[in-house]
């Protein structure tokens, strides 16, 4: 979850569109393919105006996007083949692979029928803790807490902090304040306990969002058996690895393979770093993913794939299909590669 570079990408998209740069630039910056990043795919989100609506796209848009990309020559391949094509320098032609983080139930009920129609494979990254309840969809729980109350009080070492959530504008600010509190002030190891205390004291069910929106193990086993589906790992507890000790980060990255094997009968071969932005994944985390034996690992850094990524298979960028920008023009601009250097301080080869 969480789309860190949204503002910079919006700027990049507009620059590219208004200057007409995208089609001209494609031969120079186009790359060999792209890894698309989804979260939820539903026509009927519970909260259409949610602060987290960037995490959801409509099934109709997924359908149109795949059709548009196929028409312009993209081959949709599974992650295993994507890795092979990167290693081969993109010789098989331009390709795309679809990924979805967190294992939302709508991936099965609303996305899969469209993927079947197009023969497009998907990799779904599962964090077992989110399924078992040792981790929470905290960004949804935070939204529920803020929506439930007119004001909130946080317990902090230097005294309590009261946050106004009495108006829509204040609720927006309160969401941002709570995100900052939980991802920088609270220790990563304490996140669940602090969130659950806050939920309990404000009358909100912290289990609600994950039980309502994520698949259970039976559903994951069923989708894992589908020929178009690859299950990847997303740490055990959806952890920001950079905020953990070396031992804990290694455990979260590596031990999840055996946990998924115990549930699904097969060790996952691919990995996605939770959050995936610069303050969640760096050189150390890339080393842990490589040491754990994954064939690939993806971030949420914005970029198309280049032949040089053969040397960086554990730091692959993605193109986020963002619920706030569901337009084929935006997707075409991003796939042209022109936004890759614009969003990355001029860098064409995006790793970490
Ligand atoms: Zn995630």
């Amino acid at each position: 979850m969480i789309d860190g570079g949204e503002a910079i990408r919006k700027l990049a998209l507009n620059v590219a569109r208004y200057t007409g740069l995208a089609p001209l630039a494609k031969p120079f910056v186009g790359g060999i393919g792209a890894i698309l990043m989804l979260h939820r795919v539903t026509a009927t989100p519970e909260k259409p105006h949610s602060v987290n609506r960037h995490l959801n796209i409509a099934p109709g848009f997924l359908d149109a996007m795949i059709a548009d990309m196929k028409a312009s020559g993209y081959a949709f391949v599974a992650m295993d083949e994507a890795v092979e094509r990167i290693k081969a320098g993109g010789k098989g032609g331009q390709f795309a692979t679809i990924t979805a983080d967190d294992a939302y139930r709508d991936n099965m009920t609303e996305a899969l029928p469209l993927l079947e129609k197009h023969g497009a494979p998907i990799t779904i990254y599962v964090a077992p803790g989110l399924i078992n309840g040792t981790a929470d969809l905290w960004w949804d729980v935070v939204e529920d807490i803020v929506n439930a109350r007119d004001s909130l009080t946080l317990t902090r070492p230097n005294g309590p902090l009261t946050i106004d959530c009495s108006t829509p504008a204040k609720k927006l600010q309160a969401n941002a304040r709570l995100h900052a509190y939980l991802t920088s002030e609270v220790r990563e190891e304490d996140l669940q306990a602090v969130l659950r205390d806050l939920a309990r004291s404000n009358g909100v069910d912290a289990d609600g969002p994950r039980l309502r929106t994520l698949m259970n193990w039976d559903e994951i086993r069923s989708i894992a058996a589908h020929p178009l589906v690859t299950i990847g790992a997303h740490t055990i507890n959806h952890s920001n690895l950079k905020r953990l000790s070396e031992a804990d980060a290694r455990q979260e990255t590596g031990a999840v393979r055996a946990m998924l094997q115990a549930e699904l009968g097969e060790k996952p071969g691919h990995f996605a770093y939770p959050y995936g932005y610069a303050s969640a994944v760096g050189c150390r985390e890339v080393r842990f993913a490589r040491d754990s034996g994954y064939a690939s690992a993806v971030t949420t850094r914005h970029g198309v794939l280049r032949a040089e990524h053969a040397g960086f298979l554990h730091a692959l960028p993605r193109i986020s299909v963002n619920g706030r920008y569901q337009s084929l023009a935006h997707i075409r601009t991003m796939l042209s590669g022109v936004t890759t250097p614009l969003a990355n301080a001029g860098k064409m080869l995006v790793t970490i």
Side-chain angles (χ1 to χ4, degrees):
M1 63 75 59
I2 307 285
D3 209 359
E6 190 168 319
I8 195 160
R9 276 203 301 286
K10 189 178 183 186
L11 172 74
L13 285 167
N14 286 330
V15 168
R17 280 197 305 151
Y18 297 145
T19 59
L21 201 58
L24 294 173
K26 180 138 191 185
F28 306 103
V29 295
I32 59 174
I35 304 174
L36 302 172
M37 173 173 69
L38 313 178
H39 287 83
R40 301 198 59 184
V41 181
T42 178
T44 53
E46 300 80 17
K47 289 173 277 188
H49 303 293
S50 165
V51 288
N52 297 310
R53 66 185 181 279
H54 60 285
L55 298 175
N56 177 47
I57 61 164
F61 183 67
L62 178 64
D63 189 15
M65 180 186 75
I66 298 173
D68 191 61
M69 288 178 67
K70 284 176 106 175
S72 63
Y74 279 88
F76 279 82
V77 302
M79 189 57 85
D80 280 339
E81 188 178 338
V83 169
E84 291 313 311
R85 284 183 180 231
I86 296 169
K87 286 179 179 168
K91 287 201 179 67
Q94 207 153 40
F95 66 93
T97 189
I98 298 175
T99 64
D101 294 9
D102 307 338
Y104 289 95
R105 183 173 288 118
D106 53 42
N107 294 177
M108 177 175 66
T109 55
E110 298 185 64
L112 191 57
L114 297 170
L115 300 173
E116 285 174 336
K117 173 182 149 185
H118 292 289
I122 187 168
T123 300
I124 297 174
Y125 296 108
V126 180
L130 286 176
I131 314 303
N132 295 337
T134 59
D136 293 305
L137 288 175
W138 62 262
W139 49 96
D140 282 329
V141 179
V142 162
E143 185 177 18
D144 286 348
I145 295 170
V146 168
N147 284 345
R149 302 301 301 263
D150 281 341
S151 99
L152 291 171
T153 303
L154 303 183
T155 321
R156 302 195 310 162
N158 48 354
L161 172 73
T162 300
I163 300 176
D164 184 358
C165 349
S166 59
T167 66
K170 294 286 182 197
K171 285 189 191 299
L172 213 56
Q173 286 173 9
N175 267 288
R177 186 68 191 82
L178 281 171
H179 278 230
Y181 171 67
L182 291 171
T183 59
S184 57
E185 292 176 46
V186 171
R187 292 189 332 144
E188 186 71 7
E189 298 87 329
D190 300 334
L191 194 154
Q192 182 174 46
V194 170
L195 178 81
R196 291 199 158 223
D197 270 354
L198 200 62
R200 200 175 307 116
S201 61
N202 288 288
V204 165
D205 174 15
D207 287 304
R210 54 175 204 85
L211 293 178
R212 270 197 308 276
T213 59
L214 298 182
M215 290 185 268
N216 60 36
W217 284 117
D218 283 341
E219 290 167 322
I220 296 171
R221 269 187 283 278
S222 143
I223 201 170
H226 193 287
L228 287 174
V229 176
T230 298
I231 299 295
H234 199 34
T235 72
I236 299 170
N237 288 306
H238 204 275
S239 301
N240 180 328
L241 294 171
K242 227 177 182 176
R243 301 188 73 221
L244 294 179
S245 68
E246 164 143 4
D248 287 350
R250 275 193 185 277
Q251 167 81 4
E252 283 280 328
T253 309
V256 64
R257 297 192 78 191
M259 283 181 83
L260 285 170
Q261 184 178 26
E263 291 289 350
L264 309 173
E266 214 176 311
K267 254 189 188 167
H270 304 276
F271 183 76
Y273 304 95
Y275 312 105
Y277 40 58
S279 54
V281 44
C283 292
R284 187 189 78 154
E285 289 68 34
V286 168
R287 198 171 71 240
F288 296 164
R290 198 187 307 121
D291 291 352
S292 299
Y294 296 106
S296 79
V298 295
T299 69
T300 60
R301 306 293 293 276
H302 175 80
V304 294
L305 298 171
R306 306 189 62 84
E308 297 91 322
H309 278 116
F312 301 93
L313 290 171
H314 300 86
L316 298 174
R318 291 191 279 179
I319 297 289
S320 168
V321 185
N322 185 309
R324 285 199 171 95
Y325 312 111
Q326 296 183 57
S327 107
L328 293 178
H330 275 163
I331 299 290
R332 285 183 196 142
T333 301
M334 292 193 291
L335 290 172
S336 77
V338 72
T339 56
T340 299
L342 289 173
N344 293 282
K347 269 195 294 184
M348 305 268 272
L349 178 67
V350 178
T351 55
I352 47 164

